[in-house]
Amino acid sequence: MIQQFGHTDSSNGAAADLGKLRLSEGSLDISWHHCSTTADFLGDFFAVQAKVGDPELNEIRHAIGYLVNELLENAVKFRAPGDIEIEASFEDGNFELRVFNLIAEETALRFQRLLSEITARDAGELLIERIEQNAADPSSSGSGLGLLTLMSDYGARLGWKFIHDERAGPVELQTYAALSLS
């Protein structure tokens, strides 16, 4: 069974600058440190590909790094054991990212409930509501603030595809993101 939320389409073609990375489960284990290191690397790599002036280059580097770090942290935080794969591309001012990982079925169901709300409402209004809720109850969690910030403040188009074969164990999660940087 496949369930989709948000925008899972891709507009970058075969001529796009493309990078693929795999964070492998192993002796180093996948941790938060890998998120920021990978985000910094992809931000630097694709900002240079943008070939624009220095002030815009720093903004592009920051936007790509923030997007990658946020989505990778979610993948690390909620994943089932296994590798995390990343595909990033840049073409005509459009940066696209896809993150692939496994998650437990129960985690997938909780995440799908959150995504149903996030993708059905205005991201800016929901972000303000969640900030106010979190200020009133600091112990609250699972609010999606990072995703809402990406959608509201960075104009990121986000999407998720859950692929689940009930006989095969964990759910395959594909996370899609696109930023217009021109």
Side-chain angles (χ1 to χ4, degrees), residues 19-80:
K20 294 182 179 183
L21 296 170
R22 176 182 295 216
L23 302 179
S24 296
E25 191 89 52
S27 59
L28 293 176
D29 201 14
I30 298 173
S31 68
W32 298 112
H33 173 71
H34 296 102
C35 300
S36 61
T37 301
T38 303
D40 289 346
F41 169 73
L42 290 175
D44 287 344
F45 181 81
F46 283 102
V48 170
Q49 304 300 315
K51 299 178 184 174
V52 294
D54 284 342
E56 292 178 6
L57 192 71
N58 286 331
E59 289 178 26
I60 290 170
R61 178 183 296 123
H62 171 75
I64 291 172
Y66 185 82
L67 174 78
V68 172
N69 191 61
E70 187 64 33
L71 297 182
L72 268 181
E73 283 184 351
N74 283 348
V76 167
K77 184 177 180 180
F78 299 111
R79 73 185 171 90

Side-chain angles (χ1 to χ4, degrees), residues 93-172:
N94 189 51
F95 176 78
E96 293 182 347
L97 179 74
R98 293 192 303 171
V99 178
F100 305 86
N101 61 287
L102 299 174
I103 62 174
E105 185 175 359
E106 183 178 311
T107 304
L109 293 173
R110 282 196 321 265
F111 194 35
Q112 289 170 351
R113 283 192 294 272
L114 176 67
L115 294 176
S116 291
E117 183 178 9
I118 286 175
T119 57
R121 296 198 41 208
D122 178 80
E125 291 177 13
L126 192 54
L127 176 62
I128 291 169
E129 280 181 29
R130 293 294 167 87
I131 290 171
E132 291 172 350
Q133 287 173 352
N134 287 357
D137 180 12
S139 65
S140 65
S141 64
S143 61
L145 283 178
L147 299 175
L148 290 168
T149 300
L150 285 169
M151 296 165 73
S152 176
D153 296 356
Y154 289 81
R157 296 177 312 279
L158 302 177
W160 298 265
K161 187 181 293 185
F162 297 83
I163 302 169
H164 188 217
D165 178 353
E166 284 110 25
R167 299 166 293 169
V171 176
E172 179 184 336

